Amino acid sequence: VQQLTVTVLDALEEVSLLPRVPFITVVTDFGDAHPTWFHRDADLCYVPSEPVKAVAESEGITEDKLRLFGLPVRSSFWNDTRSQQQVRES
C-alpha cells in the first residue's frame, strides 16, 4: 500500500511544476504493527508506542523521520468525568 502511494506522489511530481506532496504515515496500532505500514520514502512516520517504533526502525525508517506521539485522541475522550455507569447508559 505504501509503495503505491509513494509511486503516485513521485509520478505527480514529475508531471507538475509543484513540489512533491509530503507523505506522512500515522500508525494507530498500539502494541505491534504490520511491516507494510512503513516505507523508507515516507517523509514522516508517527507511531504511538515504543514497540511500534522498534518495528519502524527494523523496517528501515530513520530516527529523523520517526515521531513517537501516542494515539491521536481528542481530550474530551479521555477527560470524561462521567462514571462508568453513566457512560453505559448514554
Side-chain angles (χ1 to χ4, degrees), residues 25-31 45-53 66-74 78:
T25 301
V26 179
V27 182
T28 58
D29 299 336
F30 195 74
C45 183
Y46 286 87
V47 295
S49 65
E50 287 290 341
V52 176
K53 182 180 177 193
L66 279 172
R67 302 293 186 274
L68 181 59
F69 201 72
L71 291 177
V73 178
R74 71 179 186 274
W78 49 267

Side-chain angles (χ1 to χ4, degrees), residues 19-40:
R20 184 177 177 275
V21 175
F23 176 45
I24 299 170
T25 301
V26 179
V27 182
T28 58
D29 299 336
F30 195 74
D32 195 9
H34 195 275
T36 58
W37 277 114
F38 306 103
H39 195 285
R40 292 180 182 137

Side-chain angles (χ1 to χ4, degrees), residues 1 11 22 36 38 44-45 49-50 55-56 58 74-76 79 84:
V1 175
T36 58
F38 306 103
L44 286 174
C45 183
S49 65
E50 287 290 341
V55 174
S58 73
R74 71 179 186 274
S75 62
S76 63
N79 275 335
Q84 285 183 350

